[in-house]
Amino acid sequence: PFLIGIVLLFTFQTQSQNIGKDLELLFNDTQLLGLAVSISINGSHETFNFGVRDVSRNLPITNTTHFRIASISKAFTALAVMKLYDAGIVDLDEDISNYLGYQVRNPNAVTTPITLRMVLSHRSGLQDGAGYANFQNATFSQTPLPNLNELLLPGGNFYTPNIWRLEAPGTYFTYSNLNFGLLGTIIEAVTSERFDVYMKSEILEPLGIDGSFNIQDLTDINELAALYRYQNGTWVPQLDNYEGVMPTPPDLSGYVPGTNGLYFAPQGGLRCTATDLITFLRFLQEEGNDGTLDITPATLQEMKAIAWDYNGSNGDNYFGLFNRWGLGLHHANTQSNDRICGVDFGTFIGHPGEAYGLISDAFFTSAGAIQFSILINGSRNGYEVGATTSFYTVEEKIFSTLCAYFQQELAVGAFETTPFTITPNPASSYVNISSKTDTDFTWQLFSVSGKSISESSVAADKNILDVSSLFSGIYFLKISTPNQTLVKKISIE
């Protein structure tokens, strides 16, 4: 793991001032309209905001600005499926037909059942064919809403053969929005609740996320960022340009859950803040250890595990950007085209997004305790594919700035030159912290993922750290004095 063998320097406040200036320069140089960047390293969290969320009213981006985060929403939808799986309500390897109430088959492979695991990892055989856009348009204009089976089944009003690939389900990766509209519909079918209602009550609120797949749930419509494209010398709003007026709620009294979850955009319709995304990422990274969702670490580990790995012929890797996927989660930083930081940082897990002039990213490191989110609501120059990766140029520049900051925060230090000794190390039952001076100090022990395990107490001998109840592995001991903060790697056997 990339954290092993290095000493962490906890200088977040000073470095955050530098990163803020660097991001501001980048924001100005790239001529973005609005930018929110949220960063968390070992539990130290900071959000940086630039530009405006509403051009006509000149309202700035703030920590409470909500963005429609586009495809990052898919990771939230995937977590909802995994929660239902953890509760025994669905089986990842069950035929999805059993949940929908009608048989769904790829006409090119009629004997192969399609499973939730295939849909979550974009290996269902579905793709966003010609009928998908027509079905989407009808979903938002037709009363009553069309049933999803009209798109999926031959003979349906919106069915086109090219929504199905020629390859058998489970054998080929194709990134598809339709996969997650299908998942939203299945969530409704097995819970008998509307997708937006289930997500709000069972995922977002327990996590403490002030967001929703239904705009009517937002606390303050003034906090919503409009999304823009720069056209003919002016910023033209593309979506969410409500100017402080909540839209009239639709009449969904006749809607039957489980018929067309696409209405609530499980593939891209979540609105939340950059900080909310850090909360979500941390939950996944720490495997739900705060207990807010009543979901086991084993299930979250399965969600993050590799479900598809590109071998050169087993999928469409989206111009080199998508080379590895879990269940609803993109594994990036695996090759040159999907690079976020240097190889020493290991895999970044999360999701990118793009829609209506917005660009978004939310990732955490598979080793260590870094999470970051990026939300952009418009670019004067549009978006060009990067020079060295398949991310956009502006993403590459932000990644480069963030990675330099991560390197500073996780720099190699020489603990041996400090006035402290830690013995024994490796340890099995206790660790003794000795100071060569009379300087007062406190300590705090962290797991490799950044979770605080224990800390010094006035009531106990602060020089002795009991580790007898801890699992074997790598931990980090943070020692704080009035003048400095130091971190030492501890190995527990």
Side-chain angles (χ1 to χ4, degrees):
F2 93 97
L3 280 179
I4 295 178
I6 67 175
V7 178
L8 308 184
L9 303 180
F10 284 71
T11 56
F12 191 85
Q13 184 174 0
T14 299
Q15 297 294 353
S16 69
Q17 295 171 356
N18 295 334
I19 185 67
K21 293 178 181 177
D22 292 341
L23 288 171
E24 184 175 15
L25 288 172
L26 188 153
F27 167 78
N28 291 325
D29 289 344
T30 53
Q31 300 186 66
L32 303 178
L33 176 61
L35 170 67
V37 177
S38 200
I39 309 167
S40 181
I41 304 177
N42 296 300
S44 296
H45 175 226
E46 189 77 19
T47 299
F48 305 91
N49 306 297
F50 310 96
V52 299
R53 66 182 190 269
D54 184 315
V55 170
S56 64
R57 296 186 293 165
N58 196 33
L59 298 179
I61 303 287
T62 70
N63 285 358
T64 56
T65 298
H66 288 60
F67 294 75
R68 190 181 190 274
I69 62 172
S71 286
I72 299 174
S73 308
K74 292 181 174 70
F76 286 80
T77 299
L79 180 59
V81 174
M82 298 306 291
K83 185 176 188 296
L84 292 169
Y85 165 64
D86 193 75
I89 297 172
V90 299
D91 187 323
L92 296 182
D93 299 305
E94 181 74 18
D95 185 343
I96 61 171
S97 304
N98 296 332
Y99 302 124
L100 291 167
Y102 50 87
Q103 189 175 72
V104 180
R105 289 287 188 274
N106 183 335
N108 305 303
V110 294
T111 61
T112 305
I114 300 169
T115 67
L116 283 172
R117 191 183 302 276
M118 295 175 187
V119 181
L120 283 163
S121 56
H122 294 287
R123 295 177 300 124
S124 68
L126 283 168
Q127 58 187 4
D128 298 343
Y132 176 72
N134 294 333
F135 183 80
Q136 279 282 76
N137 291 336
T139 293
F140 295 105
S141 63
Q142 182 175 305
T143 303
L145 273 65
N147 194 301
L148 186 60
N149 61 22
E150 295 186 50
L151 174 64
L152 298 177
L153 306 185
N157 290 332
F158 300 93
Y159 176 81
T160 55
N162 65 358
I163 69 163
W164 293 105
R165 293 200 59 88
L166 298 178
E167 300 85 1
T171 66
Y172 197 89
F173 173 95
T174 304
Y175 183 85
S176 168
N177 287 304
L178 178 53
N179 278 320
F180 280 76
L182 174 58
L183 290 173
T185 304
I186 292 173
I187 289 170
E188 290 189 341
V190 300
T191 64
S192 298
E193 284 192 273
R194 281 185 359 213
F195 174 80
D196 62 318
V197 174
Y198 181 84
M199 293 299 297
K200 182 75 172 176
S201 63
E202 299 298 323
I203 301 296
L204 301 172
E205 287 182 344
L207 286 175
I209 291 175
D210 179 30
S212 179
F213 284 83
N214 188 335
I215 196 170
Q216 303 294 327
D217 292 335
L218 297 186
T219 305
D220 186 353
I221 193 68
N222 285 293
E223 296 289 351
L224 183 60
L227 308 182
Y228 297 85
R229 290 191 172 98
Y230 195 73
Q231 300 171 338
N232 300 319
T234 187
W235 290 106
V236 179
Q238 308 293 301
L239 196 75
D240 286 354
N241 186 42
Y242 295 106
E243 297 184 317
V245 179
M246 181 67 77
T248 303
D251 181 6
L252 294 173
S253 58
Y255 177 69
V256 179
T259 58
N260 185 0
L262 274 164
Y263 183 84
F264 305 102
Q267 77 283 3
L270 177 61
R271 294 171 175 89
C272 67
T273 70
T275 300
D276 287 331
L277 288 174
I278 297 298
T279 299
F280 175 71
L281 296 171
R282 186 174 295 155
F283 177 83
L284 294 178
Q285 186 179 57
E286 297 181 355
E287 296 173 353
N289 56 20
D290 59 359
T292 52
L293 285 190
D294 190 24
I295 185 171
T296 62
T299 293
L300 294 171
Q301 290 166 12
E302 187 168 5
M303 181 181 179
K304 294 185 291 183
I306 299 170
W308 172 79
D309 211 354
Y310 183 58
N311 65 11
S313 62
N314 64 342
D316 176 0
N317 74 341
Y318 210 77
F319 307 103
L321 181 61
F322 297 154
N323 296 298
R324 185 174 294 167
W325 279 78
L327 300 180
L329 293 172
H330 178 206
H331 288 223
N333 211 51
T334 65
Q335 298 183 21
S336 59
N337 281 344
D338 65 10
R339 182 77 70 230
I340 291 177
C341 290
V343 294
D344 289 343
F345 282 84
T347 301
F348 280 76
I349 301 175
H351 215 292
E354 176 185 5
Y356 305 106
L358 170 132
I359 292 293
S360 59
D361 291 284
F363 287 93
F364 63 89
T365 48
S366 58
I370 294 174
Q371 306 103 30
F372 74 86
S373 64
I374 300 167
L375 294 166
I376 301 169
N377 69 331
S379 170
R380 183 181 292 265
N381 300 316
Y383 301 108
E384 296 181 351
V385 174
T388 59
T389 75
S390 294
F391 286 103
Y392 287 116
T393 299
V394 66
E395 291 175 291
E396 284 186 349
K397 291 179 178 180
I398 296 174
F399 292 163
S400 178
T401 300
L402 295 183
C403 294
Y405 173 60
F406 298 155
Q407 288 282 15
Q408 289 177 323
E409 287 294 292
L410 304 174
V412 175
F415 189 90
E416 286 67 29
T417 63
T418 71
F420 293 96
T421 58
I422 309 297
T423 56
N425 187 17
S428 58
S429 58
Y430 73 93
V431 171
N432 183 61
I433 308 170
S434 299
S435 174
K436 302 172 186 176
T437 68
D438 294 329
T439 303
D440 290 334
F441 69 91
T442 59
W443 58 262
Q444 191 172 10
L445 186 69
F446 294 87
S447 71
V448 73
S449 69
K451 178 188 176 185
S452 178
I453 303 296
S454 60
E455 59 187 21
S456 56
S457 171
V458 175
D461 185 343
K462 70 178 182 180
N463 296 322
I464 303 297
L465 168 57
D466 182 4
V467 298
S468 59
S469 63
L470 299 180
F471 292 109
S472 299
I474 300 298
Y475 296 79
F476 290 95
L477 183 64
K478 173 185 173 184
I479 298 175
S480 300
T481 74
N483 299 316
Q484 64 182 156
T485 300
L486 307 159
V487 177
K488 175 71 173 178
K489 181 187 73 174
I490 302 293
S491 178
I492 297 178
E493 298 179 341

Coordinates of all heavy atoms in Angstrom, one line a residue, residues 150-205:
E150 N -41.7 -1.2 -22.3 CA -42.0 -0.8 -23.7 C -40.7 -0.4 -24.4 O -40.6 -0.3 -25.6 CB -42.9 0.5 -23.7 CG -44.3 0.2 -23.2 CD -45.2 1.4 -23.3 OE1 -45.2 2.0 -24.4 OE2 -45.8 1.8 -22.3
L151 N -39.6 -0.3 -23.6 CA -38.3 -0.1 -24.2 C -37.5 -1.4 -24.3 O -36.7 -1.6 -25.2 CB -37.5 1.0 -23.3 CG -36.0 1.2 -23.7 CD1 -35.9 1.8 -25.1 CD2 -35.4 2.1 -22.7
L152 N -37.6 -2.2 -23.3 CA -36.8 -3.4 -23.2 C -37.2 -4.6 -24.0 O -36.4 -5.4 -24.4 CB -36.7 -3.9 -21.7 CG -36.1 -2.9 -20.7 CD1 -36.2 -3.5 -19.3 CD2 -34.7 -2.6 -21.0
L153 N -38.5 -4.7 -24.2 CA -39.1 -5.9 -24.8 C -39.4 -5.7 -26.3 O -40.0 -4.7 -26.7 CB -40.3 -6.4 -24.1 CG -40.2 -6.6 -22.6 CD1 -41.5 -7.1 -22.0 CD2 -39.0 -7.5 -22.3
P154 N -39.0 -6.7 -27.2 CA -39.4 -6.6 -28.6 C -40.9 -6.4 -28.7 O -41.7 -7.1 -28.1 CB -38.9 -7.9 -29.2 CG -37.8 -8.3 -28.3 CD -38.2 -7.9 -26.9
G155 N -41.3 -5.5 -29.6 CA -42.7 -5.2 -29.8 C -43.2 -4.0 -29.0 O -44.3 -3.5 -29.2
G156 N -42.3 -3.5 -28.0 CA -42.7 -2.4 -27.2 C -42.7 -1.1 -28.1 O -42.0 -1.0 -29.1
N157 N -43.4 -0.1 -27.7 CA -43.6 1.1 -28.4 C -42.2 1.9 -28.7 O -42.1 2.7 -29.6 CB -44.5 2.1 -27.7 CG -46.0 1.6 -27.8 OD1 -46.3 0.9 -28.7 ND2 -46.8 2.0 -26.8
F158 N -41.2 1.6 -27.8 CA -40.0 2.4 -27.9 C -38.8 1.4 -28.1 O -37.7 1.8 -28.1 CB -39.7 3.2 -26.6 CG -40.8 4.2 -26.4 CD1 -41.9 3.9 -25.5 CD2 -40.8 5.4 -26.9 CE1 -42.9 4.8 -25.3 CE2 -41.8 6.4 -26.7 CZ -42.8 6.1 -25.9
Y159 N -39.1 0.1 -28.4 CA -38.1 -0.8 -28.5 C -37.3 -0.6 -29.9 O -38.0 -0.4 -30.9 CB -38.6 -2.3 -28.5 CG -37.6 -3.3 -28.8 CD1 -36.7 -3.8 -27.8 CD2 -37.5 -3.9 -30.1 CE1 -35.8 -4.7 -28.1 CE2 -36.5 -4.8 -30.3 CZ -35.7 -5.3 -29.3 OH -34.7 -6.2 -29.6
T160 N -36.0 -0.7 -29.8 CA -35.2 -0.7 -31.0 C -34.1 -1.8 -30.8 O -33.6 -1.9 -29.7 CB -34.5 0.6 -31.3 OG1 -33.7 1.0 -30.1 CG2 -35.5 1.7 -31.7
P161 N -33.8 -2.6 -31.8 CA -32.9 -3.7 -31.6 C -31.5 -3.3 -31.1 O -30.8 -4.0 -30.4 CB -32.8 -4.4 -33.0 CG -34.1 -4.0 -33.7 CD -34.4 -2.6 -33.1
N162 N -31.1 -2.0 -31.4 CA -29.8 -1.6 -31.0 C -29.6 -1.2 -29.5 O -28.6 -0.6 -29.2 CB -29.3 -0.5 -31.9 CG -30.0 0.8 -31.8 OD1 -31.0 0.9 -31.1 ND2 -29.6 1.8 -32.6
I163 N -30.7 -1.4 -28.7 CA -30.4 -1.3 -27.3 C -29.7 -2.5 -26.7 O -29.3 -2.5 -25.6 CB -31.7 -1.0 -26.5 CG1 -32.6 -2.2 -26.4 CG2 -32.4 0.2 -27.0 CD1 -33.7 -2.1 -25.3
W164 N -29.6 -3.6 -27.5 CA -28.9 -4.8 -27.1 C -27.7 -5.0 -27.9 O -27.7 -4.8 -29.1 CB -29.8 -6.0 -27.3 CG -31.0 -6.0 -26.4 CD1 -32.3 -5.7 -26.7 CD2 -31.0 -6.3 -25.0 NE1 -33.1 -5.9 -25.6 CE2 -32.4 -6.2 -24.5 CE3 -30.1 -6.6 -24.0 CZ2 -32.8 -6.4 -23.2 CZ3 -30.4 -6.9 -22.7 CH2 -31.8 -6.7 -22.3
R165 N -26.6 -5.4 -27.2 CA -25.4 -5.8 -27.9 C -25.5 -7.2 -28.4 O -26.3 -8.0 -28.0 CB -24.2 -5.6 -27.0 CG -23.9 -4.2 -26.6 CD -22.5 -4.0 -26.1 NE -21.5 -4.5 -27.1 CZ -21.0 -3.7 -28.1 NH1 -21.4 -2.4 -28.1 NH2 -20.1 -4.2 -28.9
L166 N -24.6 -7.5 -29.4 CA -24.6 -8.9 -29.9 C -23.9 -9.9 -29.0 O -24.3 -11.1 -29.0 CB -23.8 -8.9 -31.2 CG -24.3 -8.0 -32.4 CD1 -23.4 -8.1 -33.6 CD2 -25.7 -8.4 -32.7
E167 N -23.1 -9.4 -28.0 CA -22.4 -10.3 -27.1 C -23.4 -10.7 -26.0 O -24.3 -10.0 -25.6 CB -21.2 -9.6 -26.4 CG -20.1 -9.2 -27.4 CD -20.4 -7.8 -28.0 OE1 -21.4 -7.2 -27.7 OE2 -19.5 -7.3 -28.8
A168 N -23.1 -11.9 -25.5 CA -24.0 -12.4 -24.4 C -23.8 -11.6 -23.1 O -22.7 -11.2 -22.9 CB -23.7 -13.9 -24.2
P169 N -24.9 -11.5 -22.3 CA -24.7 -10.8 -21.1 C -23.6 -11.4 -20.2 O -23.5 -12.6 -20.2 CB -26.1 -10.9 -20.4 CG -27.0 -11.1 -21.6 CD -26.2 -11.8 -22.6
G170 N -22.9 -10.5 -19.5 CA -21.8 -11.0 -18.6 C -20.5 -11.1 -19.3 O -19.5 -11.4 -18.6
T171 N -20.4 -10.9 -20.6 CA -19.2 -11.1 -21.3 C -18.5 -9.9 -21.8 O -17.4 -9.9 -22.2 CB -19.4 -12.1 -22.5 OG1 -20.2 -11.4 -23.5 CG2 -20.0 -13.4 -22.1
Y172 N -19.3 -8.7 -21.8 CA -18.8 -7.5 -22.5 C -19.2 -6.3 -21.7 O -20.4 -6.2 -21.3 CB -19.3 -7.5 -23.9 CG -18.6 -6.5 -24.9 CD1 -17.5 -7.0 -25.6 CD2 -19.0 -5.2 -25.0 CE1 -16.8 -6.1 -26.5 CE2 -18.4 -4.4 -25.9 CZ -17.3 -4.8 -26.6 OH -16.6 -3.9 -27.5
F173 N -18.3 -5.3 -21.5 CA -18.6 -4.1 -20.8 C -19.0 -3.0 -21.8 O -18.3 -2.7 -22.8 CB -17.3 -3.6 -20.1 CG -17.5 -2.3 -19.4 CD1 -17.8 -2.2 -18.1 CD2 -17.2 -1.1 -20.1 CE1 -17.9 -0.9 -17.5 CE2 -17.2 0.1 -19.5 CZ -17.6 0.2 -18.2
T174 N -20.1 -2.4 -21.5 CA -20.6 -1.2 -22.3 C -21.2 -0.2 -21.3 O -22.3 -0.6 -20.7 CB -21.6 -1.5 -23.4 OG1 -21.0 -2.5 -24.3 CG2 -21.9 -0.3 -24.2
Y175 N -20.6 0.9 -21.1 CA -21.1 1.9 -20.2 C -22.5 2.4 -20.7 O -22.6 2.8 -21.8 CB -20.2 3.1 -20.0 CG -20.6 4.1 -19.0 CD1 -20.3 4.0 -17.7 CD2 -21.3 5.2 -19.4 CE1 -20.7 4.9 -16.8 CE2 -21.7 6.2 -18.5 CZ -21.4 6.0 -17.2 OH -21.8 7.0 -16.3
S176 N -23.5 2.3 -19.8 CA -24.9 2.6 -20.3 C -25.7 3.3 -19.2 O -25.8 2.7 -18.1 CB -25.5 1.3 -20.7 OG -26.9 1.5 -20.9
N177 N -26.3 4.4 -19.5 CA -27.2 5.0 -18.6 C -28.4 4.2 -18.3 O -29.0 4.1 -17.2 CB -27.7 6.4 -19.1 CG -26.6 7.4 -19.1 OD1 -26.0 7.7 -18.0 ND2 -26.3 8.0 -20.2
L178 N -28.9 3.4 -19.3 CA -30.0 2.6 -19.2 C -29.9 1.5 -18.1 O -30.9 1.2 -17.4 CB -30.3 1.9 -20.6 CG -31.5 1.0 -20.6 CD1 -32.8 1.6 -20.1 CD2 -31.7 0.5 -22.1
N179 N -28.7 1.0 -17.9 CA -28.5 0.1 -16.8 C -29.0 0.6 -15.5 O -29.6 -0.1 -14.7 CB -27.0 -0.3 -16.7 CG -26.5 -1.3 -17.7 OD1 -27.2 -2.3 -18.0 ND2 -25.3 -1.1 -18.3
F180 N -28.7 1.9 -15.2 CA -29.1 2.4 -13.9 C -30.5 2.9 -13.9 O -31.1 3.0 -12.8 CB -28.0 3.5 -13.5 CG -26.8 2.8 -13.0 CD1 -25.9 2.2 -13.9 CD2 -26.6 2.7 -11.6 CE1 -24.8 1.5 -13.4 CE2 -25.4 2.0 -11.2 CZ -24.5 1.4 -12.0
G181 N -31.1 3.2 -15.0 CA -32.6 3.4 -15.0 C -33.3 2.1 -14.7 O -34.3 2.1 -14.0
L182 N -32.7 1.0 -15.2 CA -33.2 -0.3 -14.9 C -33.1 -0.6 -13.4 O -34.0 -1.2 -12.8 CB -32.5 -1.3 -15.8 CG -32.8 -2.8 -15.5 CD1 -34.3 -3.1 -15.7 CD2 -31.9 -3.7 -16.5
L183 N -31.9 -0.3 -12.8 CA -31.7 -0.6 -11.4 C -32.7 0.2 -10.5 O -33.2 -0.3 -9.6 CB -30.3 -0.2 -11.0 CG -29.2 -1.2 -11.5 CD1 -27.8 -0.6 -11.2 CD2 -29.4 -2.6 -11.0
G184 N -32.9 1.5 -10.9 CA -33.9 2.3 -10.2 C -35.3 1.7 -10.2 O -36.0 1.7 -9.2
T185 N -35.6 1.1 -11.3 CA -37.0 0.5 -11.5 C -37.0 -0.8 -10.6 O -38.1 -1.1 -10.0 CB -37.2 0.1 -13.0 OG1 -37.1 1.3 -13.7 CG2 -38.6 -0.5 -13.1
I186 N -35.9 -1.5 -10.6 CA -35.9 -2.7 -9.7 C -36.0 -2.4 -8.2 O -36.7 -3.0 -7.5 CB -34.6 -3.6 -10.0 CG1 -34.8 -4.2 -11.5 CG2 -34.4 -4.7 -9.0 CD1 -33.5 -4.8 -11.9
I187 N -35.3 -1.3 -7.9 CA -35.3 -0.9 -6.5 C -36.8 -0.6 -6.1 O -37.3 -1.0 -5.0 CB -34.4 0.4 -6.2 CG1 -33.0 0.0 -6.3 CG2 -34.8 1.0 -4.9 CD1 -32.0 1.1 -6.3
E188 N -37.5 0.1 -7.0 CA -38.9 0.4 -6.7 C -39.7 -0.9 -6.6 O -40.6 -1.0 -5.8 CB -39.5 1.3 -7.8 CG -38.9 2.7 -7.9 CD -39.7 3.6 -8.8 OE1 -40.3 3.0 -9.8 OE2 -39.6 4.8 -8.7
A189 N -39.5 -1.8 -7.5 CA -40.3 -3.1 -7.6 C -40.2 -3.9 -6.3 O -41.1 -4.5 -5.9 CB -39.8 -3.9 -8.8
V190 N -39.0 -3.9 -5.7 CA -38.8 -4.8 -4.6 C -39.1 -4.0 -3.3 O -39.3 -4.7 -2.2 CB -37.3 -5.3 -4.5 CG1 -37.1 -6.2 -5.7 CG2 -36.3 -4.3 -4.3
T191 N -39.2 -2.7 -3.3 CA -39.5 -2.0 -2.0 C -40.9 -1.4 -2.0 O -41.4 -0.9 -1.0 CB -38.5 -0.8 -1.9 OG1 -38.7 0.1 -2.9 CG2 -37.0 -1.3 -1.8
S192 N -41.5 -1.4 -3.2 CA -42.9 -0.7 -3.4 C -42.8 0.7 -3.0 O -43.9 1.3 -2.6 CB -43.9 -1.5 -2.5 OG -44.0 -2.8 -2.9
E193 N -41.7 1.4 -3.2 CA -41.5 2.8 -3.0 C -41.0 3.5 -4.2 O -40.2 2.9 -5.0 CB -40.6 3.1 -1.8 CG -41.2 2.9 -0.4 CD -40.3 3.5 0.7 OE1 -39.3 2.8 1.1 OE2 -40.5 4.7 1.0
R194 N -41.3 4.7 -4.4 CA -40.7 5.5 -5.5 C -39.2 5.6 -5.2 O -38.8 5.7 -4.1 CB -41.3 6.9 -5.5 CG -42.6 7.0 -6.2 CD -43.1 8.4 -6.4 NE -42.3 9.5 -5.9 CZ -42.8 10.6 -5.4 NH1 -44.2 10.8 -5.3 NH2 -42.0 11.6 -5.0
F195 N -38.4 5.6 -6.3 CA -37.0 5.6 -6.2 C -36.5 6.8 -5.4 O -35.6 6.7 -4.5 CB -36.4 5.6 -7.6 CG -34.9 5.8 -7.6 CD1 -34.1 4.7 -7.3 CD2 -34.3 7.0 -7.8 CE1 -32.7 4.8 -7.3 CE2 -32.9 7.2 -7.8 CZ -32.1 6.1 -7.5
D196 N -37.0 8.0 -5.7 CA -36.5 9.2 -5.0 C -36.8 9.1 -3.5 O -36.0 9.5 -2.6 CB -37.2 10.4 -5.6 CG -38.7 10.5 -5.4 OD1 -39.3 9.4 -5.7 OD2 -39.2 11.5 -5.1
V197 N -38.0 8.5 -3.1 CA -38.4 8.4 -1.7 C -37.5 7.4 -1.0 O -37.0 7.7 0.1 CB -39.9 8.0 -1.6 CG1 -40.2 7.8 -0.1 CG2 -40.8 9.1 -2.2
Y198 N -37.2 6.3 -1.6 CA -36.4 5.3 -1.0 C -35.0 5.8 -0.8 O -34.4 5.7 0.3 CB -36.3 4.0 -1.9 CG -35.5 2.9 -1.3 CD1 -36.0 2.1 -0.3 CD2 -34.1 2.8 -1.6 CE1 -35.2 1.1 0.3 CE2 -33.3 1.8 -1.1 CZ -33.9 1.0 -0.1 OH -33.1 0.1 0.5
M199 N -34.4 6.5 -1.8 CA -33.1 7.0 -1.7 C -32.9 8.0 -0.6 O -31.9 8.1 0.1 CB -32.6 7.6 -3.1 CG -32.5 6.6 -4.2 SD -31.2 5.3 -3.9 CE -29.7 6.3 -3.8
K200 N -33.9 8.9 -0.5 CA -33.9 9.9 0.5 C -33.9 9.3 1.9 O -33.1 9.7 2.8 CB -35.1 10.9 0.3 CG -35.1 12.1 1.3 CD -34.1 13.1 1.0 CE -34.3 14.4 1.8 NZ -33.3 15.4 1.5
S201 N -34.8 8.4 2.2 CA -35.0 7.9 3.5 C -34.0 6.8 3.9 O -33.7 6.7 5.1 CB -36.5 7.3 3.7 OG -36.7 6.2 2.8
E202 N -33.5 6.0 2.9 CA -32.7 4.9 3.3 C -31.2 5.1 3.0 O -30.4 4.3 3.5 CB -33.2 3.6 2.5 CG -34.6 3.2 2.8 CD -34.8 2.9 4.3 OE1 -33.9 2.2 4.9 OE2 -35.9 3.2 4.9
I203 N -30.9 6.0 2.2 CA -29.5 6.2 1.8 C -29.0 7.6 2.2 O -28.1 7.8 3.1 CB -29.2 6.0 0.3 CG1 -29.6 4.6 -0.1 CG2 -27.7 6.3 0.0 CD1 -28.8 3.5 0.6
L204 N -29.6 8.7 1.7 CA -29.1 10.0 1.9 C -29.3 10.5 3.3 O -28.3 11.0 3.9 CB -29.8 11.0 0.9 CG -29.7 10.6 -0.6 CD1 -30.5 11.4 -1.5 CD2 -28.2 10.7 -1.0
E205 N -30.5 10.5 3.9 CA -30.7 11.0 5.2 C -29.9 10.2 6.3 O -29.2 10.9 7.1 CB -32.2 11.0 5.6 CG -32.9 12.1 4.8 CD -34.4 12.1 5.2 OE1 -34.9 11.1 5.8 OE2 -35.1 13.1 4.9

